[in-house]
Amino acid sequence: MRLLVLGSAAGGGLPQWNCRCPVCSLAWAGDPRVTPRTQSGLAVSTDGERWLLINASPDLRQQILANPALWPREGRRHSPIEAVILTNAEIDHVLGLLMLRERQPFALHATAATHAALAANPMFTALDPAVVRRRDLLPEAVLSLAGLELLPFPVPGKLPLYQEEAAPDGELAAEILGLEIRAGGRRCVVVPNCARITPDLCARLKGADLLLFDGTTYEDDEMVRLGLSHKTAARMGHVPMAGPSGSLAGLADVSVGRRVFLHLNNSNPTLIAGSPEHAAVLAAGWELAFDGMELVL
């Protein structure tokens, strides 16, 4: 199993186009301690010929250009991308679908709720259903694609921001998906968004050869303290890294082979190499995903 980290940042990337938070300011200045990142997305394959995308970020065209494995290889029109798997309907996970609108056949796998969110936006009719095949992604149902077995499973989350106003009485909680990927006796678990760590989630992750997990913020009130937002990580549907309910503590006793944070927000101080927060993450046995990172199982 070969995984390519196409993008490792949360929505907005690093640096974010309108941001001068401490991390973005260093990135704008070209500080070598901060590596620019595009918005989160993965590609996975067993043979290097057929690829599945996990989410489709707004930066997808740039990410394809940066990864020759995803380039067309034959005829006038071709793509090694066989399918796109969506874990939820967040803008930074679906907007890149519009970069794939040139009548190239592929399958689009998502929950009924995510398909409905796309169908409600007329822009996504650019993906002609006669060419881009819609397929329902059912939690706990194994899907076999391109030599891989994929098992989607429910993860605590929240509605995308653009759906919040329509939620009755502020009911923002939503079930989103994590994804188990299996091949050759190895198992990778991908959880790009997660609102809280539960016993069921820990049991699911146990024994994985590789874990890619939501690393949006370091502290829960990070964006509030920086004056970037009035919302905490928890309010945005993310588990912070630090703190008693954070992922560093909550997953410390879960046995996995290799653990990597992805979906890193531009405000996250772990993105400054050598910072105390960066050192704390490394000391806890975690890695930080970066664009172009290749993971082989």
Side-chain angles (χ1 to χ4, degrees), residues 130-263:
V131 179
V132 177
R133 306 175 305 282
R134 272 63 168 180
R135 298 288 186 267
D136 284 337
L137 201 56
L138 303 174
E140 308 298 352
V142 174
L143 176 65
S144 296
L145 286 173
L148 295 158
E149 282 193 349
L150 300 104
L151 179 65
F153 61 92
V155 174
K158 79 163 196 67
L159 291 172
L161 177 62
Y162 63 87
Q163 293 181 331
E164 286 188 3
E165 288 189 7
D169 300 322
E171 294 178 8
L172 304 181
E175 200 171 77
I176 60 176
L177 294 180
L179 195 64
E180 287 190 35
I181 311 171
R182 304 168 181 165
R186 309 303 295 276
R187 182 167 68 100
C188 169
V189 183
V190 179
V191 185
N193 301 101
C194 185
R196 65 184 184 278
I197 294 171
T198 65
D200 284 347
L201 178 61
C202 291
R204 174 79 64 174
L205 303 181
K206 184 179 179 181
D209 297 289
L210 172 65
L211 169 62
L212 291 148
F213 194 80
D214 184 350
T216 305
T217 67
Y218 186 72
E219 294 183 292
D220 185 51
D221 65 347
E222 178 175 297
M223 295 185 70
V224 177
R225 285 188 295 101
L226 291 171
L228 303 176
S229 174
H230 63 279
K231 296 178 182 178
T232 63
R235 171 60 182 78
M236 295 187 294
H238 298 287
V239 179
M241 294 178 178
S245 60
S247 51
L248 292 175
L251 299 178
D253 295 328
V254 178
S255 57
V256 298
R258 187 175 180 182
R259 52 188 75 205
V260 180
F261 281 123
L262 82 167
H263 199 270

Side-chain angles (χ1 to χ4, degrees), residues 70-130:
L70 302 181
W71 293 359
R73 300 182 192 132
E74 57 192 44
R76 298 296 185 187
R77 292 288 177 94
H78 169 264
S79 173
I81 298 170
E82 287 200 1
V84 179
I85 316 295
L86 300 178
T87 60
N88 62 7
E90 292 283 359
I91 286 177
D92 51 324
H93 286 169
V94 304
L95 198 57
L97 292 171
L98 296 177
M99 303 299 106
L100 305 178
R101 66 188 183 276
E102 283 84 8
R103 299 191 60 79
Q104 177 66 39
F106 65 92
L108 179 59
H109 296 261
T111 64
T114 295
H115 279 308
L118 297 179
N121 187 326
M123 291 185 69
F124 287 96
T125 60
L127 298 171
D128 186 346

Side-chain angles (χ1 to χ4, degrees), residues 43-56:
V44 58
S45 176
T46 58
D47 58 11
E49 299 293 326
R50 300 170 298 165
W51 289 88
L52 309 181
L53 301 187
I54 302 173
N55 295 321

